[in-house]
Structures are given as structure tokens and as C-alpha cells.
Amino acid sequence: MSSNRARLAVDAMGGDFGPSVVVPGALQAARNTGAKVILVGVEEEVRKVLAELSELDGEGELYEVVNASQVIEMTDKPSEVVRAKRDSSMHVACRLVRQGEADAFISAGNSGVAFACGMFIIGRIPGVVRPALASLMPTEKSPMLLLDVGANAECSPINLFQFAVLGSTFVKDILGYEDPRVALLSNGEEEGKGNPLVKETYDLLKQASHINFTGNAEGSDLFLGDVDVVVCDGFVGNVALKLSEGLAKSVTNLLKRELMNNGIMPKLGAKLSMPAFRSFKKIVDYAEYGGAPLLGLKGIAIVCHGKSNAKAITSALTMANSYVVKGTQQRLVEAISANEELTNYALSLELS
């Protein structure tokens, strides 16, 4: 394999299932993409899972194990972990990215800690005020990127402006959208709708020559597929994301219940509809997208769902590999630099 292939540092201890799911998922991604995975975690536990994977014969070049003696719990506070658990799997994996020994960091662990480690260990792209957690979401036409979805509960206009810059660049590179349509999530489509944060951000985005800003989008517009990037603060974004996940699951369960409990004809119809059900489940399943990229850091970071299965881990590493291969990180840096003048203007407004 090529010596310049992507090197993906994976928090092997992260998520509800730890190495039992992360290790096989990461290795499958390595097989699929040719990337090298660096499995960071308690070495004894990681190697125990590796020993149970009989298909690993002759695949030693796919992976490397880096020991990390401490494990981050879901109850750990981000600020305390960064200082006190310096030998945790997240801390060590982020350090590998900062030191240039890995190209990306992937974790299904505590998302607050992942954000803190990304901020304070990997560091931010020069000029970026706050990184944003972004999530790809299905629509009637093609996937849409929603950001922020939980990293920043409180935001200022400059934050949302930079989220738009980062999100637009990301979908252009990763999804191939030629001129991504960017919208602000608000309580009305008309200019002048929304709270002070939305109104002030609207004025900034109207002045951005590098962004195809289409105005406000309401919650009911999200899944129509008429916008490619939707920007909001992390509180609103997280509610929208969780509501969407819950609705998709409930709709699926309700349809199954109604079809299976109303006589022979609906049951027959349900059996005939199974291919459509499977297709729908694939569209709304977070495992298909893998994880949420943390945009705005000096290196690549992807945060996965805590309940991620092996498929979701594979998808997350596949996304990270594409990120590295396409050189998306450099494009994000260039996009922030290209908007430096408007960023400084927004900062001056906040300070005045």
C-alpha cells in the first residue's frame, strides 16, 4: 500500500460498546479504503478483540495499536478530562493528530469531551472562533448538512457566519455540490424574521460573496431538499437533529404496527412493501452517515453516535478517509482566510 495513505486515529474505547464494535468497524473501513487505522485504547482490551477476529490473518499492515491507559466515561466533565486524563484514548488520539502522526481523529465517546479535546489539543484553524459539529441529514432529494448540532449551545453572529463558510466548503468538497445553497434556520422565511441572532447573521451572510446564501428556512423546509446547508446555534440544531431521529423511528414503527395488525390484506401489503421499508430505513439510519464532522479544527475530527454499531464506525472512518484524500482540510483553511475581511468586520460589531 502507498506510504502516503490516510492515517486514522480511532478512540477504540469510545461508545456504548467499546472495542468490541469499534475495532471490527475500523478494520472494515481500512479494508474498504486502504487507510491505516491507529487503534488507541487499553492495549490489552484492544488486542483481545483483535485476537478474536480470525479474518485478520495477513492484515497486520491495516492497523497499529497505541496504548492509552485511561478511559473516558460519559459522566466525565470535558474541562476536567483535558487536564486530568492525559493518557485517555481521546487525549492520545488527538495528540497524534496534533503531532502529525495521524490525519484524523474519530470517536463514539463523550461528545463534549471530544469537542474539548479537539479545541484544546488539535486546536482551531487560524481565524475560527468556534468549531461546529455538523450532521448530514436525508432529504427528499439529496443529503443536507445541518450545523451546529450540539457543540455550541450559545452563539454569536460571527459563529453562525463561520459555520456557513465551513459547511458550504464541506459539502462542496465531500458531496460534490457545485454551488451549495445556504440557509439560516428561523421561524419564518421572510427577511426580518427570527430572533436578534438570526437577524444579525442574515445581514452578514447577505454581504458574503463566497457563499450562495438563499435566506431563511423554516423547520418544515429542512427535508424538502431545496437547501444544502442549514445553519443554526447548537441548542436549536441538537433539538432538530434529535427530533428528526425520533420522528423517523416512530414513523417506521407506526407503519409496521398498522400494517401488521389489521388483517390478512394489510399483512400481505406489508410483505410486498418490505423492499421500500428497507430502503427508507437505510435513508434515515445514522449508521449510513457514520458520524458528525467537527469543522473548524486544524485537523480532521469526527464524532459518532454513542450507540454506534460496527457499520456506523466503518461509515465514519470512510468519511474521514474521503476528507483526507480530497484535501478538504486545506479548502476549509482557504475558505476561512478568504472571508477574513468580513470576519473582522463582524468581530468589530461585537466589540463595539
Side-chain angles (χ1 to χ4, degrees), residues 123-139:
R124 291 165 288 166
I125 291 172
V128 168
V129 180
R130 299 280 290 180
L133 195 60
S135 178
L136 284 170
M137 299 178 69
T139 75

Side-chain angles (χ1 to χ4, degrees), residues 163-178:
F163 296 170
V165 172
L166 294 167
S168 179
T169 304
F170 179 83
V171 298
K172 189 182 295 185
D173 236 43
I174 297 298
L175 300 181
Y177 296 167
E178 189 172 334

